Amino acid sequence: MSDRPAEDSVERMEFLLALRRRGIADQAVLRAMDEVPREYFVEAGFATTAYADQALPIACGQTISQPYVVAYMTEQLDVHPEHKVLEVGTGSGYQAAVLSKLAREVVSIERYRTLADTARARLQTLGYDNVEVLVGDGLTGAPARGPFDRIIVTAAAESIPDALVEQLAVDGVMILPLGKHDGPQTLVKLTATRAGLQREELIGVRFVPLLPGRAREL
């Protein structure tokens, strides 16, 4: 996107500066956030506020997370170029696009076929060729594609999904929001060690619920 207008470049500089001010320091993550054109991943009516630090609505009653939360979760996930990453909750495809800049391969699961099909087409059009979008039940993951070095869940679970833990490679990391769907939620980092699962609580968040099964066709 080297042909961006000057005003867009200024907006992106302010966008990245805001992330740095809030503590995002990983240069690879900042570079990925800069390179992915967020305006293509929001609804047309919200394009002018795409870089505002707020969640925005997308189809099927879902949301695209605020940029800081995307950057923070990505930084905590600590993705390396050789990693295979599982994302649960494709949404518009924005988080998957950011991850694709950092990982060898991204597998993303979405329970809404409408969102999955739209995200898949968008990602292909924009050239994110190392992302595979599946329609399925995020709580069961993608065992046929595993194990995964990293797993990121972009909807809130009320308890840790055992099926996803089983798909983590040794030394693998999973980031997910945990908490009641109508109450406080906490972003949690899980690390799979040979001795067991290590848990670290990070920040308070607010996500849409992680629901079982595929959604009815929308």
Side-chain angles (χ1 to χ4, degrees), residues 34-98:
D34 181 42
E35 291 176 351
V36 175
R38 186 173 164 90
E39 65 270 21
Y40 290 112
F41 293 87
V42 301
E43 298 291 301
F46 293 96
T48 57
T49 56
Y51 292 94
D53 195 30
Q54 62 188 63
L56 295 172
I58 58 174
C60 303
Q62 304 301 293
T63 60
I64 175 173
S65 296
Q66 68 189 87
Y68 170 71
V69 170
V70 173
Y72 181 83
M73 292 179 73
T74 305
E75 186 172 62
Q76 291 294 322
L77 202 60
D78 189 28
V79 181
H80 294 190
E82 70 275 13
H83 284 163
K84 179 192 289 188
V85 180
L86 173 66
E87 178 194 29
V88 176
T90 312
S92 70
Y94 179 67
Q95 176 74 77
V98 172

Side-chain angles (χ1 to χ4, degrees), residues 119-186:
R120 185 184 301 111
R122 179 183 291 121
L123 290 162
Q124 290 174 351
T125 298
L126 294 173
Y128 299 105
D129 299 327
N130 60 337
V131 180
E132 179 182 13
V133 179
L134 307 175
V135 180
D137 182 349
L139 283 167
T140 63
R145 303 295 202 282
F148 297 96
D149 304 292
R150 300 290 187 266
I151 298 178
I152 184 169
V153 183
T154 60
E158 293 194 322
S159 60
I160 297 171
D162 291 337
L164 297 183
V165 173
E166 291 171 2
Q167 291 167 52
L168 264 182
V170 176
D171 297 324
V173 174
M174 177 161 56
I175 300 282
L176 77 164
L178 278 180
K180 296 294 184 182
H181 296 160
D182 58 352
Q185 299 166 3
T186 302

Side-chain angles (χ1 to χ4, degrees), residues 20 29 34 37 44 102 109 123 154 189 191-192 217:
R20 289 191 180 98
V29 172
D34 181 42
L102 303 167
I109 301 178
L123 290 162
T154 60
K189 180 176 183 177
T191 304
E217 295 299 319

